Every structure is written in structure tokens, then in C-alpha cells.
Amino acid sequence: TASYMDYGVGILIRKPQKTTSIFGFLEPLTVQVWVCICVATFAIGVVMFVLSRISPYSAQNVDKSLQFNFHNSMWFALASLMQQGTDITPRSISSRMLGTFWWFFTLIIIATYTANLAAFLTVTRMESPIESLNDLASQTKISYGTVVPSSLEKFFEEQGKKEAPYDKLWSYMSTMEPSPMVKDIEEGYERVLKGDYAFMWDYPVLQYQKKKHCDLMTVGKPFNSKNYAFAVRKGALYQEKITLSILSLQESGELEKIRQKWFEAESLCTDDDSSEDNTASGLELRNVAGVFYILMMGACLAFFTALIELVWYRFLREVSNSEGKQTANPIPRRNSLIMPPNYTPSPETIA
């Protein structure tokens, strides 16, 4: 009879697990960009320190101030990157020019980062290992197959002798042991639900199953486009009547309503991609946990640094006290070559 619906072949796989990184706030920029920002911050601090030394109008050379030493120069560069001010500002024109360009750089970086941060934190992404038929053919981790015997099996066998990627697909399906083929579509669904298996079958049927089983999803575009029709006995008198009825249903739009009722029905899955939900999901603790980890790490590092400073301060104070005692009592050291062992300096010698 005349066709009543077009269809293609689709790929059905199990939905990958949703991944959420505790350091998701770092994802708006790549690792390369983060490294370049760190290098630029250090370089600006060094250049600012050098300019404060060579410029005759800097605070170092005018009033002998040590405001822009190496420590403060690095602090100026870091505080500017964090959009925070410092107690010291450049004095010479060259240093101010460098600071102006550095502020412009940080303005663009912070604006770009902020604009992308919300999307990276509120949108949970599912990374699918397969996006097309070529991806399926170029990997071996996920097994794939179809119903045997079937017309789709014959299609892969014929196309496997002609063009890629069907040659790789058919070679895998026909030689792999144990066989990736299934006896019926129900077995194909069961293997997909178990994981690491892709089932290829009629796209409308897979779409219908995807709406019933929330753990399933279709990937890639349909291929091998064909039509659905009724098979009747050759020369049957009712063939023409069925064809006329199909054409009448198509013209009236009734056939389209039937198709939408059964193949585009509302999904049972609340997180289905086709559901119209424009509200952004709220941030959970796992989305921003990395920020708290960094804060705790910074607090621990600051406490450890304070202990080092305390030990170093006490060490310098003891050295200063010992040097002060030696200066207050300058007793000459005994020279074993010219002084006898029982030699005691006189008060006049000490004075």
C-alpha cells in the first residue's frame, strides 16, 4: 500500500551518568588560560618592581620609600586581579601606565569568567561517549548490534561491502564473539539497560521506548530512511481501498494526529530533554564544594605561615640578644699562640 509514515534507523544507548565536579567554578576557563593568568600576574609584579627601581620619578628614587619592593609589587598585581584595591599606588608615569593596562586586562578576564560561571554551575552536562554512527564504528568499548534475522541486518551486510563506516560496523557485528546480535527488540532493550551496548532499530520505535524508560536515550541522526506501509497479497482487491484510506487520513490530518498521539506522547521522565523547563536548577553543595576546600586550604596555609613567622621572629630576637650581650662585654678571645692557658686579662685591657 501507500506509505503512512517515514522512518530511519536510530541508535539507542543507556544514559551516561551526570557528572558534577567540586571544582566546577574553574571550568569556565581552560587549564591553559589559568596557567597564563598566573604567569601574567607574576610577570606584572616583577615588571612593576623593576620599574620602581629604574624610573627616576618613582617613590623609591624620589623619597627613598620602599613601598614598591618585590613583596608589595606582587601584592599589587594579585590584588588588582582580584578586583581589590591596595594601600599603595604607582607614582611614576611608567608604573601607572603598566597598572592601567593591567587593570584593563583584569577587567576583561573577570567579566568573561563571570559571564560563563553561571552557565557552568547551573547546567549539569551528560557526556555521551557516542554522538554519531562514525563514533560508534571507531570505538570498541561499547558493543552494538541489531535484530537477526531482519531487513536491517541485510542492510548492514550489503552496505558493508560498499562504503564506510558500514564496513567497520558489519565486520564487528559479524565476527565478534560472543555475538552482539539479538533475537528480538526486547532483548536489545535489556542489553542496553545493562550498559555498554548500543541497539540499532527503527527510530520511531526507539523514541517511544526512550519516553517509557528514563535510563535510555537516542544519539545521532537517523540513517537508512525508509517508509512504513501495509503488506498485502499481490492483486488483492482491498489494496486500493487501504491506499485510498491512507491518503484520505493524510489529507485530513488525522494520520498526523495518530502519529503524535503514540510517537510524541508526553514523556514519563521528568528530566527528558524534550520537556519544556526553562527554570534554572539551584546550586547544590557539590557544585561549589571546591570553593570551600580552597578556603579551608588557605586558612590552614595562613596558620602554618604564621607559625613559621613566629619561629623566625624568635630566632632573630635570640640572635639579636646574643649579639647585644657580646657587644656589651667585649672580652678578647684567647690566642693559644701568644697567651698562656692561665692568662686572665687585666681590667685595663678590658677597658
Side-chain angles (χ1 to χ4, degrees), residues 83-145:
Q83 300 291 288
Q84 303 296 324
T86 58
D87 297 334
I88 56 176
T89 55
R91 180 170 179 175
S92 64
I93 297 178
S94 58
S95 299
R96 290 182 177 182
M97 183 178 299
L98 177 64
T100 301
F101 280 94
W102 175 240
W103 289 336
F104 177 77
F105 171 83
T106 58
L107 175 65
I108 300 300
I109 293 296
I110 295 299
T112 304
Y113 173 78
T114 306
N116 291 278
L117 180 61
F120 275 85
L121 291 182
T122 57
V123 177
T124 303
R125 297 173 301 281
M126 294 188 300
E127 298 180 357
S128 175
I130 299 174
E131 297 292 343
S132 63
L133 196 64
N134 290 324
D135 294 341
L136 188 64
S138 60
Q139 58 83 44
T140 57
K141 180 180 179 181
I142 297 179
S143 180
Y144 49 89

Side-chain angles (χ1 to χ4, degrees), residues 2 56 145 149 178 239-240 250 270 334:
Q239 177 183 2
E240 184 177 357
Q250 288 179 344
T270 56
R334 179 178 62 85

Side-chain angles (χ1 to χ4, degrees), residues 18 23 151 167 253 322 338:
K18 295 181 179 180
F23 296 101
S151 60
D167 53 349
S322 61
I338 59 177

Side-chain angles (χ1 to χ4, degrees), residues 282-335:
L283 292 178
E284 299 180 0
L285 179 60
R286 61 185 180 183
N287 298 110
V288 293
V291 180
F292 291 93
Y293 292 154
I294 291 181
L295 181 61
M296 289 186 293
M297 182 178 64
C300 295
L301 183 61
F303 183 75
F304 181 73
T305 305
L307 293 178
I308 295 178
E309 290 177 341
L310 179 61
V311 173
W312 180 251
Y313 172 77
R314 290 183 176 180
F315 172 75
L316 293 180
R317 188 175 61 178
E318 292 178 359
V319 172
S320 177
N321 292 338
S322 61
E323 291 179 353
K325 292 180 181 180
Q326 292 179 0
T327 304
N329 302 298
I331 301 177
R333 295 182 179 179
R334 179 178 62 85
N335 192 329

